[in-house]
Amino acid sequence: EKPSFAVAQAKTAALQMAEDARNSIRYAIDLFEQYDEEQAKKVAELESTVDHYEDEIGTYLMKIGNAELSDEDSQSVSLILHCIGDFERISDHAYNIMESAEQFHNMKKKFSDKAKKELRVYEAAVKDIVDITFDAYDRSDIIKASRVEPLEEVIDRLNDEIKKKHIKRLRKGKCTIELGFVLSDLTTNFERVADHCSNIAARIVGKESEDDHFDAHEFRRNMHDGYVPNFNEMLAQYKLKYYTPLLESQETA
């Protein structure tokens, strides 16, 4: 009976869902630094909660969609509907990371010091992109959301570089295939988390131009082509912060 109030309630629920997804990924990443059974259970609980949010919010928004909405409320409903899927996938990847941390813990093995340093750089970049994205969603901050895509591009480069360094260590006998599987699972999930963050950010930046045919992937490409001011400057900043330290971390003979 009061569509605007219903949309406001949906926004509140979606923000809580987003916060749970953000916490799940941060808890999961921290498990690699120090594994804790209770924290691992918390990641699983959050993943279940986020799944429930997606089902309930999605169903609720479909009902709201049948009501007469203002243009602003209609945009909000569309944004939430698209973003809750990415929130849910991020929590899924957090669960996968938790399982990799558990496997790593049970193996009673350790990554080399070089691999640890590389992973810490990667972990920091992923936490950064998650925080920027979810803060942008919380505040509907287009300027902050525009910082996500250049960082996502750097994360893609980090992913490729870490894989190359692992292969070098494997050839030198400084790592094992078993540890390589854990590393591969971890980096794959990190990269996909960044992809979902990029989808969310593109929706925020393109919210006002959104229509039934809006394509987030096409919009992301346009961000590369000058749609976002200072894209190349931001890309250079993130390369300096995350990619350069990784390149400087040379494997000792």
Side-chain angles (χ1 to χ4, degrees):
E1 295 177 0
K2 298 179 180 179
S4 291
F5 179 73
V7 172
Q9 293 294 93
K11 282 183 179 179
T12 299
L15 286 171
Q16 184 57 59
M17 178 188 184
E19 188 61 21
D20 285 346
R22 187 214 297 246
N23 286 334
S24 70
I25 197 70
R26 293 188 71 88
Y27 293 160
I29 291 173
D30 288 344
L31 287 171
F32 266 90
E33 293 298 321
Q34 185 173 353
Y35 187 79
D36 179 81
E37 291 278 357
E38 291 303 314
Q39 187 156 309
K41 289 179 182 178
K42 185 64 176 175
V43 173
E45 290 169 1
L46 286 171
E47 191 272 337
S48 178
T49 299
V50 170
D51 278 353
H52 184 64
Y53 265 121
E54 185 188 27
D55 291 341
E56 294 295 328
I57 294 173
T59 301
Y60 189 62
L61 288 177
M62 293 306 293
K63 293 178 181 178
I64 296 175
N66 294 324
E68 290 188 14
L69 300 174
S70 66
D71 289 344
E72 183 180 354
D73 284 342
S74 181
Q75 288 175 355
S76 294
V77 168
S78 182
L79 178 65
I80 296 169
L81 272 173
H82 283 101
C83 288
I84 59 175
D86 288 298
F87 296 154
E88 190 274 333
R89 292 299 296 136
I90 286 171
S91 73
D92 282 347
H93 290 301
Y95 187 88
N96 293 343
I97 292 167
M98 176 271 289
E99 288 189 315
S100 293
E102 181 180 30
Q103 179 186 359
F104 180 64
H105 175 71
N106 292 335
M107 286 167 61
K108 307 295 183 185
K109 293 184 179 181
K110 294 182 179 180
F111 289 120
S112 68
D113 289 341
K114 291 289 184 182
K116 286 180 184 177
K117 288 180 181 178
E118 292 161 12
L119 279 176
R120 287 191 185 111
V121 172
Y122 202 171
E123 288 169 359
V126 173
K127 286 182 177 180
D128 197 3
I129 199 170
V130 167
D131 283 341
I132 293 170
T133 302
F134 284 73
D135 284 346
Y137 180 81
D138 185 19
R139 302 168 189 171
S140 297
D141 189 333
I142 292 175
I143 294 175
K144 179 160 280 194
S146 70
R147 299 191 65 86
V148 172
E149 188 63 23
L151 179 51
E152 191 274 336
E153 187 169 311
V154 170
I155 284 174
D156 283 345
R157 298 186 188 190
L158 288 176
N159 200 63
D160 292 341
E161 192 64 29
I162 285 176
K163 286 179 180 178
K164 289 177 186 176
K165 287 179 176 291
H166 167 67
I167 291 171
K168 288 181 181 179
R169 281 191 290 270
L170 198 60
R171 288 173 177 168
K172 292 180 180 180
K174 295 183 178 182
C175 192
T176 66
I177 293 176
E178 192 176 18
L179 281 173
F181 287 139
V182 174
L183 182 67
S184 178
D185 287 343
L186 182 60
T187 56
T188 297
N189 280 289
F190 280 177
E191 185 179 33
R192 289 177 182 170
V193 166
D195 285 341
H196 288 293
C197 286
S198 187
N199 288 341
I200 294 166
R203 291 285 175 185
I204 296 167
V205 175
K207 179 181 176 182
E208 294 182 1
S209 63
E210 189 168 334
D211 55 37
D212 292 338
H213 304 291
F214 180 84
D215 186 331
H217 297 290
E218 179 65 27
F219 195 80
R220 285 169 60 183
R221 284 193 290 273
N222 291 338
M223 291 169 74
H224 284 263
D225 296 334
Y227 186 90
V228 174
N230 304 319
F231 182 92
N232 289 328
E233 289 86 346
M234 289 188 285
L235 179 64
Q237 289 172 6
Y238 285 125
K239 285 174 68 176
L240 188 62
K241 185 175 182 180
Y242 295 115
Y243 190 61
T244 301
L246 198 71
L247 291 180
E248 291 173 349
S249 174
Q250 297 297 324
E251 188 69 33
T252 55

